[in-house]
């Protein structure tokens, strides 16, 4: 069975719609906020009443350019909008205002990493357009309702080339795209709320062929995981149909997440005639080099750049760097932390260890973590200086700092947690431990050097964690020589 599927190569192109985080809509001042009672974020302009005129949202263009620069695109300086004519109940104008022949961003790529390695997914374009409203089919058994709050909200459509060849690559691409729009602050990337939506164009062909197979578009996937599931399902469906002697047709299908299957929505054997023509109510707009360079100057450090810095300059393992950079607020906290401590690896260990554990246990985001980077740096300094052990610092001092802001040294002193680095105090405890385990001492001297950890652990236990581990190891080694 597997031999049948291995004969084929999968070809995938993705179209991602991302709602831009502007306060107002693309062509009027109506609120672009998510939610609100149905049909409350509308006006005569949103509803295209006669005599109304649209006006371009400058911030939407800035956000599109910002994304294009981050994706290594060429920015189109001469722009205009077009009318894309089609009728649907959630489209109040009877047409959609979009960019057609002159997208604001051309080409570019997104870097992804999968188990197969690192590569670039090539983009075709990023263009601006307005969103449609939303049809509600579950409010009434006989009628569908329309909520126009979303109509006119600014979108960018990010279109890839047919450049991916597995659901894993599509998963990695969408994960990277969501992370990127969040880093840039241009979209919240929330697929469940529909602020980031993805359609997948999928085809298969025999390996070695250079001709694209019949393309099927799959829609209505509300998570990155479901995009992966939908692609796997569609690839299997297409190969099974071909191998069974059937004929694939170009169509649009909808994915049913409840059972992992898809069903046909409409045939696309003939291209739709949208009768595009330049939007007469909006003047073309030209972007200057100064305007583009001004936006370029606002770009934050992006994940690729940060991962490279953390691994090459700071010596972090790539896994640590990628986890830190997975979320912008986490990367921002780490950046603030390493601004006040040079202990880069220790800082990463704290971020990925005790801090992450607390966040997970409390279902919290790093932005709400009560310990400031400066305070955490002071705690790292305390452990680095040998004043307290990491175990004591993470299990006793950090919880105190989380409860109320306080200097870690003050907490350690108040709770009598400072490490003892006085050999005269530690030596009697070591003698007590060695006297307790004469057989282990003999075994150690006989070559079982791994028992050293047992002795150190017992000393730490008897000293209530206060014995300096480095000094303890030295004194134990000296005593076990004889």
């Amino acid at each position: 069975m597997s031999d049948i599927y291995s004969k084929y190569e999968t070809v995938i192109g993705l179209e991602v719609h991302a709602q831009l985080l502007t306060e107002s809509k693309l062509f009027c001042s109506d609120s672009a906020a998510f939610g609100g009672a149905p049909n409350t974020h509308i006006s005569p302009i949103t509803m295209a009443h006669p005599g109304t005129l649209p006006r371009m949202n400058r911030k939407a263009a800035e956000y599109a350019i910002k994304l294009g620069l981050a994706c290594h695109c060429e920015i189109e300086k001469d722009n205009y909008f077009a009318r894309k004519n089609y009728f649907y109940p959630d489209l109040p104008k009877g047409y959609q205002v979009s960019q057609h022949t002159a997208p604001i961003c051309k080409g570019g790529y997104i870097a992804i990493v999968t188990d197969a390695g690192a590569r670039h997914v090539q983009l075709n374009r990023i263009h601006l357009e307005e969103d449609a409203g939303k049809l509600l089919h579950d409010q009434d058994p006989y009628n569908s309702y329309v909520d126009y709050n979303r109509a006119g909200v600014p979108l960018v459509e990010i279109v890839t080339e047919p450049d991916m060849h597995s659901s894993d690559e599509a998963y990695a691409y969408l994960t990277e795209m969501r992370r990127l729009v969040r880093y840039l602050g241009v979209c919240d990337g929330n697929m469940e709320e529909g602020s980031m939506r993805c359609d997948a164009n999928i085809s298969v062909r025999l390996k070695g062929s250079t001709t694209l197979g019949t393309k099927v578009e799959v829609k209505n996937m509300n998570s990155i995981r479901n995009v992966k599931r939908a692609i796997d399902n569609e690839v299997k469906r297409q190969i099974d149909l071909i191998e069974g002697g059937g004929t694939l047709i170009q169509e649009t299908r909808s994915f049913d997440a409840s059972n992992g299957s898809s069903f046909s929505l409409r045939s696309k054997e003939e291209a739709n005639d949208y009768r595009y023509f330049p939007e007469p109510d909006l003047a073309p707009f030209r972007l200057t080099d100064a305007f583009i360079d001004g936006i370029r100057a606002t770009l934050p450090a992006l994940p690729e750049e940060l991962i490279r810095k953390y691994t090459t300059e700071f010596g972090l393992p790539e896994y640590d760097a990628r986890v830190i950079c997975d979320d912008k607020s986490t990367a921002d906290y780490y950046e603030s932390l390493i601004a006040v401590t040079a202990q880069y690896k220790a800082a990463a260990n704290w971020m990925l260890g005790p801090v992450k554990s607390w966040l997970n246990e409390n279902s919290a985001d790093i932005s709400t973590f009560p310990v400031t980077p400066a305070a955490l740096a002071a705690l790292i300094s305390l452990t680095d200086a040998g004043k307290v052990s990491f175990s004591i610092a993470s299990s006793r001092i950090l919880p105190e700092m989380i409860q109320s802001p306080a200097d870690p040294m003050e907490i350690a002193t108040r709770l009598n947690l400072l490490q003892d680095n006085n050999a005269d105090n530690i030596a009697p405890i070591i003698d007590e431990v060695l006297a307790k385990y004469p057989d282990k001492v003999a075994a150690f001297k006989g070559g079982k050097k791994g028992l050293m950890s047992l002795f150190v652990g017992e000393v730490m236990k008897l000293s209530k964690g206060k014995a300096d581990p480095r000094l303890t190891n030295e004194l134990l080694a000296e005593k076990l020589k004889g």
Side-chain angles (χ1 to χ4, degrees):
M1 191 70 166
S2 61
D3 289 342
I4 294 175
Y5 298 107
S6 64
K7 290 164 43 181
Y8 291 86
E9 178 186 46
T10 301
V11 181
I12 303 162
L14 297 181
E15 299 170 7
V16 173
H17 285 87
Q19 284 185 358
L20 298 176
L21 286 174
T22 57
E23 293 183 11
S24 57
K25 294 185 179 181
L26 187 54
F27 301 118
C28 70
S29 61
D30 295 345
S31 172
F34 175 78
N39 298 310
T40 55
H41 297 170
I42 62 173
S43 69
I45 300 178
T46 289
M47 300 307 294
H49 288 184
T52 58
L53 287 172
R55 183 178 179 182
M56 174 66 185
N57 185 329
R58 178 189 177 102
K59 183 62 71 175
E62 290 177 8
Y63 282 173
I65 295 166
K66 199 173 190 179
L67 179 59
L69 291 172
C71 293
H72 318 281
C73 300
E74 174 192 349
I75 306 302
E76 173 61 58
K77 292 180 181 177
D78 292 304
N79 288 262
Y80 73 92
F81 284 98
R83 289 188 181 182
K84 179 181 180 181
N85 294 275
Y86 66 97
F87 175 78
Y88 207 65
D90 61 7
L91 201 63
K93 295 182 176 75
Y95 57 85
Q96 180 186 31
V97 179
S98 180
Q99 290 187 306
H100 179 41
T101 59
I104 196 166
C105 308
K106 297 177 179 177
Y109 66 86
I110 291 288
I112 65 168
V113 178
T114 66
D115 291 341
R119 63 176 295 255
H120 291 167
V121 173
Q122 299 300 316
L123 302 183
N124 175 278
R125 61 193 279 152
I126 299 173
H127 65 261
L128 278 163
E129 64 184 23
E130 62 179 348
D131 207 347
K134 186 176 183 180
L135 284 170
L136 306 172
H137 303 293
D138 56 356
Q139 308 292 311
D140 184 279
Y142 305 106
N143 301 291
S144 290
Y145 293 162
V146 187
D147 179 6
Y148 287 114
N149 280 350
R150 199 173 69 183
V153 168
L155 297 175
V156 283
E157 182 173 356
I158 308 141
V159 183
T160 75
E161 298 289 357
D163 194 38
M164 285 166 277
H165 302 286
S166 70
S167 62
D168 287 337
E169 288 190 344
Y171 186 96
Y173 169 83
L174 286 172
T175 300
E176 191 60 38
M177 180 57 70
R178 182 173 63 183
R179 178 167 64 172
L180 184 60
V181 297
R182 287 174 172 173
Y183 258 79
L184 296 170
V186 301
C187 174
D188 64 21
N190 192 329
M191 292 187 73
E192 290 75 15
E193 291 182 357
S195 54
M196 181 170 143
R197 309 192 289 275
C198 176
D199 299 333
N201 294 302
I202 306 160
S203 63
V204 297
R205 63 187 177 190
L206 290 171
K207 286 182 177 176
S209 172
T210 57
T211 303
L212 290 173
T214 301
K215 178 180 68 176
V216 173
E217 181 183 34
V218 181
K219 304 173 78 73
N220 298 334
M221 298 165 289
N222 64 354
S223 71
I224 296 177
R225 177 175 171 271
N226 280 336
V227 173
K228 186 178 188 304
R229 291 174 64 207
I231 290 171
D232 287 335
N233 169 266
E234 178 58 21
V235 169
K236 183 177 184 302
R237 187 190 73 84
Q238 290 188 20
I239 294 174
D240 288 345
L241 185 59
I242 294 168
E243 288 292 319
T247 302
L248 276 170
I249 60 169
Q250 186 173 336
E251 62 178 332
T252 298
R253 300 179 70 84
S254 178
F255 181 67
D256 185 343
S258 65
N259 58 24
S261 67
S262 66
F263 55 91
S264 181
L265 288 175
R266 57 185 175 271
S267 169
K268 294 187 77 171
E269 290 182 1
E270 294 187 15
N272 291 311
D273 180 10
Y274 291 118
R275 296 182 294 115
Y276 282 102
F277 62 87
E279 168 58 71
D281 292 335
L282 285 163
F285 61 98
R286 178 170 176 78
L287 305 173
T288 65
D289 289 331
F291 183 72
I292 295 169
D293 289 341
I295 296 170
R296 194 191 309 274
T298 68
L299 289 176
L302 297 175
E304 283 181 82
E305 178 187 342
L306 291 175
I307 290 169
R308 186 163 52 249
K309 180 174 82 169
Y310 296 162
T311 53
T312 58
E313 295 180 28
F314 297 172
L316 296 190
E318 185 169 336
Y319 174 82
D320 290 10
R322 289 195 174 278
V323 173
I324 289 170
C325 294
D326 191 51
D327 172 71
K328 186 176 187 297
S329 56
T330 302
D332 286 345
Y333 189 99
Y334 183 72
E335 283 286 302
S336 298
L337 182 56
I338 59 177
V340 286
T341 178
Q343 300 298 320
Y344 307 129
K345 184 65 172 81
N349 290 343
W350 275 91
M351 291 281 297
L352 303 180
V355 174
K356 189 175 178 64
S357 293
W358 186 88
L359 295 175
N360 290 340
E361 289 166 8
N362 291 275
S363 300
D365 182 79
I366 189 71
S367 61
T368 64
F369 187 55
V371 179
T372 67
L376 186 58
L379 184 56
I380 292 171
S381 177
L382 204 63
T383 58
D384 185 57
K387 300 291 187 182
V388 294
S389 68
F390 175 82
S391 175
I392 290 294
S394 59
S395 64
R396 300 287 303 279
I397 300 177
L398 184 63
E400 289 280 328
M401 295 171 69
I402 289 171
Q403 289 302 313
S404 60
D407 178 68
M409 177 59 112
E410 183 276 320
I411 295 172
T413 303
R414 172 165 50 86
L415 298 181
N416 193 27
L417 299 174
L418 290 173
Q419 266 184 182
D420 190 346
N421 54 13
N422 187 326
D424 291 338
N425 294 335
I426 299 173
I429 300 175
I430 290 176
D431 291 338
E432 183 180 346
V433 169
L434 297 182
K436 183 180 177 182
Y437 296 104
D439 53 334
K440 303 293 185 186
V441 171
F444 178 88
K445 292 180 176 180
K448 292 190 175 180
K449 303 303 181 186
L451 289 167
M452 178 63 83
S453 60
L454 168 69
F455 301 139
V456 172
E458 288 296 314
V459 171
M460 297 305 292
K461 190 186 299 182
L462 288 176
S463 69
K464 297 182 180 178
K466 294 177 63 177
D468 183 332
R470 180 189 57 77
L471 182 57
T472 299
N473 272 279
E474 291 177 2
L475 294 174
L476 273 167
E478 187 66 31
K479 286 183 177 286
L480 289 167
K481 268 189 198 174

